[in-house]
Amino acid sequence: EDKVVQSPLSLVVHEGDTVTLNCSYEVTNFRSLLWYKQEKKAPTFLFMLTSSGIEKKSGRLSSILDKKELFSILNITATQTGDSAIYLCAVASGGSNYKLTFGKGTLLTVNP
Amino acid sequence: SQTIHQWPATLVQPVGSPLSLECTVEGTSNPNLYWYRQAAGRGLQLLFYSVGIGQISSEVPQNLSASRPQDRQFILSSKKLLLSDSGFYLCAARLAGSQETQYFGPGTRLLVL
């Protein structure tokens, strides 16, 4: 059974701190790893990673994948209160009709 | 660009009543469509997915069913709701010819009392 584990489950920081969120996985026929941010409603897409060692960056957020060790990290630098959200990691696996397996998410709270 | 609509936004239903949640997609053709449930604000569980009209795959045995009567319409149903059906239901679409990214609709919050 495919498995995606995120850590920590919950994190409270102060504005300006840098955080690292972790995602490890065990899946059959890995295709890609995706990060989403979920505030009050639907998850919004952040990154898709398919190759090891290539960092994806968007503003203060960045992410990297290690396919040998089967994990990914999401970094957020100089956090702001607007970064408070649940961050979800998902792994796409399978054939042409692939599926996404989601982790339980990391609840990040950024205090002013 | 594509837009995913879900209706209704919030629903409160008594135990034993029927359910129908609708998801429609604009701006694309032949998407793969997915229904997820998220309980207690954490972790998404895949319920059903569809690769085309009338084609439904069920991931988890449960009290729910899904149908895809049109290319851009996906419906989640139940004949008799259980308390355990409460949760946040999300519809997602993977665009034809795109990579693995799924885009989500705004969700329906269901409370069964």
Side-chain angles (χ1 to χ4, degrees):
Chain A
E1 186 183 329
D2 294 344
K3 192 162 43 169
V4 177
V5 178
Q6 291 187 246
S7 64
L9 291 180
S10 183
L11 185 59
V12 180
V13 300
H14 293 291
E15 263 191 320
D17 288 350
T18 293
V19 298
T20 298
L21 310 183
N22 304 293
C23 176
S24 64
Y25 61 90
E26 290 178 34
V27 302
T28 305
N29 196 9
F30 173 90
R31 295 173 67 98
S32 61
L33 185 144
L34 297 91
W35 284 97
Y36 290 86
K37 177 182 181 183
Q38 185 177 25
E39 296 174 87
K40 293 205 190 308
K41 286 199 172 181
T44 54
F45 171 73
L46 295 175
F47 299 112
M48 185 176 79
L49 304 153
T50 54
S51 302
S52 272
I54 298 175
E55 185 184 55
K56 292 239 175 156
K57 202 168 167 64
S58 175
R60 295 175 294 102
L61 276 67
S62 63
S63 184
I64 198 160
L65 174 67
D66 185 328
K67 289 167 75 173
K68 184 179 174 190
E69 300 296 330
L70 308 182
F71 78 91
S72 173
I73 59 171
L74 175 69
N75 276 324
I76 308 175
T77 58
T79 52
Q80 302 171 356
T81 54
D83 295 326
S84 296
I86 295 173
Y87 289 84
L88 294 165
C89 172
V91 174
S93 60
S96 56
N97 293 327
Y98 79 96
K99 291 174 243 182
L100 287 185
T101 302
F102 281 82
K104 291 190 189 314
T106 293
L107 174 60
L108 173 65
T109 304
V110 181
N111 288 327
Chain B
S1 65
Q2 79 288 345
T3 305
I4 303 169
H5 300 280
Q6 285 188 246
W7 184 90
T10 305
L11 191 58
V12 181
Q13 290 280 87
V15 168
S17 64
L19 174 74
S20 180
L21 304 182
E22 186 165 337
C23 170
T24 56
V25 183
E26 289 180 4
T28 187
S29 298
N30 198 29
N32 282 11
L33 296 174
Y34 306 83
W35 277 112
Y36 290 90
R37 176 168 58 206
Q38 187 176 36
R42 307 294 292 272
L44 275 67
Q45 179 188 35
L46 178 63
L47 302 176
F48 301 95
Y49 69 94
S50 171
V51 300
I53 295 173
Q55 299 179 62
I56 308 293
S57 295
S58 172
E59 284 299 298
V60 182
Q62 59 210 316
N63 185 40
L64 302 167
S65 62
S67 62
R68 187 166 176 179
Q70 299 179 48
D71 180 48
R72 289 174 284 180
Q73 185 185 29
F74 203 22
I75 296 172
L76 184 70
S77 304
S78 173
K79 291 184 180 174
K80 283 187 178 182
L81 283 168
L82 305 172
L83 287 175
S84 57
D85 291 323
S86 293
F88 189 43
Y89 288 84
L90 287 158
C91 176
R94 174 192 166 201
L95 308 183
S98 76
Q99 294 180 298
E100 286 82 20
T101 307
Q102 292 180 14
Y103 296 92
F104 288 85
T108 294
R109 205 163 293 280
L110 172 66
L111 179 60
V112 182
L113 298 176

